[in-house]
Amino acid sequence: ARAALIARGFMEMTRFGLALGARRETLAGLAGLGDLVLTCSSTSSRNFSLGKGIGEGRPVDNLMADRRTVAEGAFTAPVLARLARATVRFTAGRHAEAAADCDAVVSAAPGVVKGWEVRGMCRRQLGDLDGAAADFTEAIKQAPGLPLAYNLRAGVHYARGEYKKAIQDHLEALKRDPKSAGTFNQLGWI
């Protein structure tokens, strides 16, 4: 059962991490798979002991109050669950609900770039181009090396008729990912 949990957990962690822009090498290394194996197999792991306590039916608030160390999973899991729900809601066309989920994500964890990107996409769908541009700009500030937010912001510029700014953002995206067929495709539309 433990091997199945680790294997399935690693696959889910990898899919989610790659979707958020993580590098496959990082996920397969000590910070990814190594931490997962430790969490699933060592009673000295803070997350393992927290999960074991939850599995035994002890209230999370009591478990957290009794701790002298941080079990980061207690703080990370709710944010990731909210982000996953926002992504599902966005895909289903429930943009206002997805935006509200992203509000909670960026409030609790402003460094989660995908929260800014998804909220920006929601705002764009809801017609709030200024809010969308602000969210994509924040995503770029948080992770300037990732091309997606540049392409998303370029779409806002395009919708406003700001073609020069759209081209500039697409070119910035290409600097970060020169093989991006999507960026070339979008540049072809301008």
Side-chain angles (χ1 to χ4, degrees):
R2 185 173 297 178
L5 177 66
I6 292 171
R8 295 302 309 150
F10 183 64
M11 287 306 301
E12 185 175 334
M13 184 177 82
T14 299
R15 280 194 302 273
F16 195 67
L18 292 173
L20 294 177
R23 292 179 24 213
R24 189 175 298 277
E25 303 83 39
T26 303
L27 295 167
L30 290 175
L33 181 58
D35 190 52
L36 177 65
V37 170
L38 177 67
T39 297
C40 292
S41 57
S42 174
T43 55
S44 62
S45 162
R46 297 174 303 227
N47 286 322
F48 182 94
S49 62
L50 178 65
K52 186 172 184 278
I54 292 169
E56 292 169 349
R58 296 175 54 203
V60 175
D61 291 340
N62 292 358
L63 290 167
M64 294 302 288
D66 294 343
R67 300 187 77 79
R68 292 184 195 166
T69 59
V70 175
E72 59 278 348
F75 303 103
T76 305
V79 171
L80 291 178
R82 199 79 185 248
L83 182 57
R85 183 171 54 200
T87 304
V88 168
R89 286 178 168 172
F90 177 81
T91 304
R94 296 164 52 191
H95 303 119
E97 293 172 69
D101 284 331
C102 288
D103 289 342
V105 169
V106 300
S107 175
V112 177
V113 174
K114 192 58 72 178
W116 295 104
E117 290 174 346
V118 174
R119 188 172 77 173
M121 292 187 299
C122 293
R123 287 179 165 179
R124 181 164 182 212
Q125 291 297 318
L126 295 168
D128 179 7
L129 295 180
D130 291 338
D135 284 345
F136 299 144
T137 299
E138 185 59 35
I140 289 166
K141 286 180 190 173
Q142 295 291 333
L146 298 178
L148 179 60
Y150 289 98
N151 282 327
L152 293 170
R153 190 172 68 179
V156 172
H157 292 314
Y158 181 75
R160 292 175 168 164
E162 301 168 344
Y163 304 115
K164 186 174 180 177
K165 288 181 179 180
I167 290 171
Q168 288 170 338
D169 271 349
H170 282 313
L171 291 174
E172 287 298 322
L174 279 172
K175 285 180 192 175
R176 284 141 183 89
D177 184 7
K179 297 178 184 177
S180 174
T183 302
F184 282 117
N185 210 6
Q186 291 170 350
L187 277 169
W189 284 99
I190 297 177

